[in-house]
Amino acid sequence: MLKLHYNLEKISMGLVGAIIAVASVGGIVEIAPLFTIEQTVEIPDDLRPHTPLELAGREIYIREGCYACHSQMVRSLADEIDRYGPYSLAAESAWDRPMLWGSKRTGPDLARVGEKYSDAWHVAHLIDPRSVIPVSIMPAYPWLTRPLETDLIEGNLATLARLGVPYDETMVENALADARAQARPDSDGVDGLLERYGEDIAVRAFDGDPSSLTEMDALVAYLQSLGTLTDAPYEMLAEETR
Ligand code: HEC
């Protein structure tokens, strides 16, 4: 054995090959099994996809670069859980394309921000952060009060459906109507919306005005949905701390 090694050390390329062969064993053992299983994350039964309005808000979140300052991933460290709530599970973002975990926090993590503040707080904060947090360094986004462009909503759902997000045909067909209904609580479309996405979704005039569908409606609907798509992280944490 020593003799083999002695000879191998004298052939440099052979030694490199042998090192690669030995070092790759660990990789193969860890990575190869992943190709044989269909899913690496277990999707919770109660996980729901974003509604069309929330999805439109998500597009605005991406467009405005909110992710540059805000992460959406609570790490499993005690101080993070104390501050934000249950740590994030991979399954929560299984249908997020692209994912918005982020890598830098100039502002706080937003993974659990849903229903932490009122809609009116978000509207005031987005139009002028200093009006609610005097020392805030977050930029103002006063233009979000403009009408929401709805042309891409249906196509967005259809594309995500092709990528494996469980939007069925009726969800895609009704995407535009559902987006309008979610920001207009007294409209006829609400029943269909609740039937498709569940009774728990928020149906409100998010920007305070039910007569218009604005970018603010979409973005606030999205923010209020963060951390509310499944109870799994809350149950997991409760079980661990019991
Ligand atoms: C330049 C960095 C920066 C950008 C870009 C930014 N924010 Fe912020 N955000 C902050 C900071 C700093 C705070 C903490 C102070 C405050 O609440 O205003 C904050 C706070 C928040 C909060 C309150 C979180 C909490 O739990 O109190 C929300 C919600 C929020 N931002 C949403 C957004 C959205 C939506 C966008 C994009 C439209 C955005 N932010 C863009 C820096 C940023």
Side-chain angles (χ1 to χ4, degrees):
M1 193 66 193
L2 267 181
K3 183 110 188 43
L4 173 76
H5 214 282
Y6 182 78
N7 288 333
L8 195 58
E9 278 176 39
K10 285 198 269 187
I11 336 163
S12 59
M13 284 330 274
L15 186 63
V16 168
I19 289 172
I20 291 173
V22 171
S24 61
V25 170
I28 291 168
V29 167
E30 284 199 349
I31 297 166
L34 298 179
F35 289 103
T36 66
I37 46 179
E38 200 144 295
Q39 262 182 353
T40 44
V41 282
E42 202 176 310
I43 309 248
D45 293 337
D46 68 340
L47 183 67
R48 71 162 175 89
H50 281 295
T51 64
L53 186 64
E54 292 160 6
L55 213 55
R58 192 172 190 274
E59 295 296 311
I60 294 167
Y61 185 95
I62 295 169
R63 181 191 75 196
E64 299 295 355
C66 312
Y67 58 82
C69 287
H70 291 285
S71 59
Q72 287 188 22
M73 186 176 49
V74 182
R75 289 172 286 192
S76 54
L77 303 170
D79 59 330
E80 295 230 342
I81 296 167
D82 282 349
R83 177 170 180 185
Y84 298 118
Y87 58 85
S88 296
L89 303 179
E92 282 181 87
S93 40
W95 296 332
D96 280 358
R97 284 164 206 272
M99 57 76 189
L100 296 173
W101 298 330
S103 56
K104 180 168 176 289
R105 288 180 186 156
T106 301
D109 187 273
L110 296 181
R112 303 281 173 247
V113 86
E115 305 299 343
K116 177 179 172 190
Y117 300 105
S118 66
D119 298 339
W121 187 92
H122 281 295
V123 173
H125 184 246
L126 287 164
I127 291 175
D128 176 15
R130 259 67 60 197
S131 69
V132 282
I133 309 280
V135 296
S136 179
I137 54 157
M138 179 166 135
Y141 297 87
W143 54 85
L144 295 176
T145 51
R146 67 191 172 197
L148 178 69
E149 281 206 27
T150 52
D151 311 357
L152 299 176
I153 293 182
E154 190 179 323
N156 196 356
L157 256 80
T159 307
L160 288 171
R162 289 182 72 177
L163 294 174
V165 183
Y167 291 119
D168 60 28
E169 237 166 74
T170 50
M171 285 167 160
V172 175
E173 278 164 19
N174 289 287
L176 187 53
D178 284 347
R180 292 215 169 95
Q182 195 176 355
R184 204 164 185 167
D186 57 355
S187 66
D188 295 340
V190 174
D191 291 345
L193 171 71
L194 295 180
E195 203 177 296
R196 283 183 277 279
Y197 295 92
E199 299 284 331
D200 290 341
I201 64 163
V203 179
R204 299 194 293 257
F206 295 95
D207 68 352
D209 176 7
S211 68
S212 61
L213 185 66
T214 60
E215 294 193 341
M216 191 64 89
D217 278 317
L219 184 56
V220 174
Y222 172 64
L223 292 172
Q224 297 289 32
S225 78
L226 293 177
T228 72
L229 301 184
T230 164
D231 288 336
Y234 299 86
E235 284 161 11
M236 179 92 95
L237 190 67
E239 220 165 87
E240 280 172 14
T241 49
R242 196 180 294 142

